[in-house]
Amino acid sequence: MASTSKTGSPTGGRPAVIVDAASVTYQVFASGKKARGASRRVRSTHAVHAVQSVSFRVDAGESVGLIGSNGSGKSSLLRGIAGLEPLSSGAVYASAQPSLLGVGAALINDLSGARNIVLGCLALGFTRDEVDERFDDIVEFSGLGEFIDMPMRTYSSGMSARLKFSIAATRPSDILLIDEALSVGDRAFRKRSDRRIRELQEASGTVFLVSHSMEAVRGACERALWLEKGVLRADGPVDAVIEEYEAFTKKPR
């Protein structure tokens, strides 16, 4: 089994992120049975423990892949590290503000791709002059061509994802969090995305990558964390953790 780290350092370097017994819990509404004589169903809540007391340390310069089955808590953990999801217990300490790769919330479907590039870049903190300097490169990277002047609501899901990635990937961060960014678009766009991620890694220093593609994780990371049902199952060298995870997924259940 790959070694499971708590808050010890695998490299002995300067810590960039320390996750200390972090948990994320959601309260979910459920429709219950009708009470006797009642005209409507009784609604109740139950707790979903998306992340359960997870601890690890990542040093500056590390690239770490987060792997696991659907619903294992990877994205919830990433959002918790970014400060976008409140922790129900535990703590996250970071040497700089972690940046989650994504600007989807800032984009507006009724606006054209071109207008959304401006809006998205402004949301990332660029000045208008900086947006103008980067505009053509973003359009070229997205591969949308003449569609860039059409409303985003006319885009396919793949086209929208390509635009969002192209905007979000323009700004490096000291601690960069990437959630499934390498899965968007066709093969050619994925190759461009992979190259861009490597550039961001070199500029950022510390990178977390959530992906269902073991090939992408192997190519981008030297270390992996495996989460299953919110629990950290393994933490260690990327090949060893992926081998353990793949053996688990092949077991009959």
Side-chain angles (χ1 to χ4, degrees):
M1 179 175 178
S3 61
T4 300
S5 170
K6 294 299 180 185
T7 53
S9 169
T11 64
R14 177 174 60 86
V17 175
I18 296 175
V19 176
D20 184 13
S23 296
V24 176
T25 303
Y26 301 108
Q27 296 295 327
V28 179
F29 283 100
S31 296
K33 295 180 179 180
K34 287 184 180 180
R36 181 172 296 179
S39 60
R40 62 180 64 184
R41 294 180 182 275
V42 177
R43 298 188 72 190
S44 60
T45 62
H46 68 276
V48 175
H49 302 286
V51 179
Q52 302 184 50
S53 193
V54 168
S55 297
F56 59 86
R57 167 177 164 173
V58 174
D59 287 340
E62 283 196 273
S63 298
V64 181
L66 294 179
I67 64 174
S69 307
N70 287 333
S72 61
K74 305 182 297 297
S75 294
S76 295
L77 176 59
L78 213 63
R79 290 179 59 82
I81 294 172
L84 301 174
E85 195 69 61
L87 302 180
S88 53
S89 62
V92 173
Y93 307 96
S95 61
Q97 175 58 49
S99 176
L100 182 62
L101 183 63
V103 294
L107 304 188
I108 300 175
N109 280 332
D110 286 334
L111 296 183
S112 68
R115 294 296 298 164
N116 272 302
I117 289 176
V118 175
L119 183 63
C121 286
L122 291 174
L124 290 173
F126 289 112
T127 67
R128 186 53 195 259
D129 287 342
E130 289 172 329
V131 176
D132 292 340
E133 290 172 6
R134 289 163 173 77
F135 183 86
D136 289 343
D137 289 338
I138 294 172
V139 174
E140 181 179 358
F141 189 92
S142 71
L144 291 175
E146 62 187 16
F147 291 100
I148 202 66
D149 292 316
M150 298 181 65
M152 255 189 68
R153 57 181 163 75
T154 65
Y155 291 3
S156 68
S157 58
M159 292 167 68
S160 295
R162 281 156 51 193
L163 179 63
K164 292 173 184 177
F165 178 85
S166 301
I167 297 169
T170 57
R171 180 177 287 284
S173 170
D174 289 338
I175 302 170
L176 184 64
L177 314 176
I178 306 166
D179 193 353
E180 286 293 350
L182 298 182
S183 65
V184 303
D186 56 21
R187 182 181 295 272
F189 185 79
R190 286 197 298 272
K191 287 183 178 180
R192 295 202 300 276
S193 300
D194 185 53
R195 287 195 298 269
R196 183 64 181 130
I197 291 299
R198 292 179 188 278
E199 293 170 3
L200 289 169
Q201 286 176 305
E202 293 173 3
S204 300
T206 304
V207 176
F208 290 81
L209 170 65
V210 168
S211 180
H212 286 98
S213 168
M214 298 302 102
E215 180 182 356
V217 173
R218 280 193 171 99
C221 306
E222 69 266 5
R223 177 181 170 193
L225 307 176
W226 168 26
L227 271 72
E228 201 65 40
K229 295 182 179 179
V231 176
L232 182 59
R233 293 284 298 266
D235 173 0
V238 63
D239 288 333
V241 174
I242 287 177
E243 181 179 351
E244 184 176 348
Y245 168 65
E246 290 180 334
F248 170 81
T249 60
K250 292 175 183 177
K251 289 180 180 179
R253 280 177 274 170

